[in-house]
Amino acid sequence: MNQKLIFTFLLIITLIQAQEIINFKSANPFSFNDIITDFSNHEEQDVSGVLRLPDNIDNKVFPLVIGVAGSKGWGEHHLEYLKLYRDMGIATFELESFKSRDVSSTVGSQVEVTHAMMILDSYRALEALSNHPNIDIDNVAITGWSLGGGVSLFSGWLPLKKAIGIDLTFAAHLPIYPPCFVTPEILDFTDSPIHILIGELDNWTPSAPCSNFVKKLSSTNNIDLTIYKDSYHSFDRESPITRRKDAY
């Protein structure tokens, strides 16, 4: 009996060590312009996220993937991706931009939590994790889906990074079906690799703007694009194809 209790206690300790809530300060800039021209005039916002380490910790230092959810918040298929990373020995961080602001979804409006807020959250999370003993801060990538895909993409736009005033850099960007509707006049993006994954038939965040975006940047930046044939938005979700009239 005592051996069972000891084993259970050690298992609980291991699980606690493998999952950690990280809290940090961010803000609520509505737009990219708010970050670039009015960054210092935004009230602080408490934000958190969940850091999960691979099973075999042993005081190791791990590369990290920061994940950013879409307009409906965290879905099961998002978490499956992060588990795959952990199975490969990569730590993961679930950014909780929605939960931290008491928002469950932005579908139909896209104003309650914006790209600008979430990009700032992402960089503040990177700062908060920079001194974590188990994280190799020079090997932190960012990925996201839909709205989060836009965060993963435009967190590589250097005018935003410069305005935020952070020296840390994401080692790679993996935007998954991001909105590529806006192409900045200043095409000053990170040297870190960017690879966009998107469906050919996506009618929420269409593939054509992403293709044009990549063509404009490909001569000066490490950016590429994979378009999945006969695939719609959220092509990686295990559910039937549905049409949402209020979707935006």
Side-chain angles (χ1 to χ4, degrees):
M1 183 66 179
N2 288 338
Q3 288 181 336
K4 287 183 178 180
L5 286 174
I6 292 171
F7 175 79
T8 301
F9 175 76
L10 291 175
L11 179 60
I12 291 171
I13 293 297
T14 300
L15 290 173
I16 291 173
Q17 289 176 336
Q19 175 179 322
E20 183 180 352
I21 304 298
I22 304 294
N23 299 293
F24 53 92
K25 297 291 184 181
S26 186
N28 291 311
F30 185 80
S31 67
F32 291 175
N33 185 63
D34 289 332
I35 292 179
I36 293 171
T37 66
D38 197 31
F39 183 63
S40 61
N41 291 324
H42 297 280
E43 292 185 5
E44 284 188 334
Q45 169 71 50
D46 291 322
V47 178
S48 65
V50 182
L51 174 65
R52 301 181 197 273
L53 302 179
D55 289 338
N56 299 318
I57 301 174
D58 296 332
N59 295 320
K60 293 179 181 177
V61 177
F62 300 98
L64 173 72
V65 171
I66 292 179
V68 189
S71 302
K72 294 179 68 177
W74 283 101
E76 187 174 327
H77 64 302
H78 302 145
L79 300 177
E80 288 174 356
Y81 275 91
L82 300 188
K83 184 179 184 303
L84 285 173
Y85 289 126
R86 292 194 299 276
D87 289 345
M88 293 187 290
I90 301 170
T92 63
F93 184 79
E94 298 153 33
L95 185 63
E96 294 284 7
S97 294
F98 280 24
K99 184 178 179 181
S100 299
R101 295 175 173 86
D102 296 320
V103 173
S104 59
S105 172
T106 61
V107 174
S109 60
Q110 301 295 351
V111 296
E112 296 88 352
V113 182
T114 66
H115 282 100
M117 297 175 198
M118 298 170 81
I119 287 171
L120 180 58
D121 292 352
S122 299
Y123 275 112
R124 292 298 183 235
L126 189 62
E127 283 182 326
L129 292 162
S130 63
N131 293 318
H132 196 283
N134 295 113
I135 299 303
D136 179 0
I137 202 62
D138 293 323
N139 284 294
V140 179
I142 183 168
T143 189
W145 299 260
S146 195
L147 172 61
V151 173
S152 176
L153 177 60
F154 287 103
S155 57
W157 191 41
L158 296 183
L160 287 179
K161 184 175 182 290
K162 181 179 179 181
I164 292 170
I166 183 170
D167 292 329
L168 298 169
T169 298
F170 289 112
H173 301 250
L174 182 64
I176 304 175
Y177 37 87
C180 300
F181 305 124
V182 176
T183 302
E185 290 185 12
I186 301 172
L187 293 177
D188 192 7
F189 275 77
T190 178
D191 292 331
S192 299
I194 302 171
H195 196 109
I196 298 171
L197 308 180
I198 199 161
E200 177 189 31
L201 304 179
D202 195 325
N203 58 359
W204 194 341
T205 58
S207 61
C210 288
S211 182
N212 293 334
F213 186 87
V214 169
K215 287 177 183 177
K216 291 179 180 179
L217 286 178
S218 59
S219 62
T220 56
N221 293 88
N222 187 359
I223 187 168
D224 208 346
L225 169 72
T226 298
I227 299 177
Y228 293 97
K229 187 176 176 59
D230 299 326
S231 298
Y232 292 88
H233 197 74
S234 295
F235 57 79
D236 50 353
R237 184 189 294 268
E238 291 187 6
S239 60
I241 295 175
T242 57
R243 181 179 179 84
R244 293 198 58 160
K245 294 181 179 180
D246 66 338
Y248 176 69

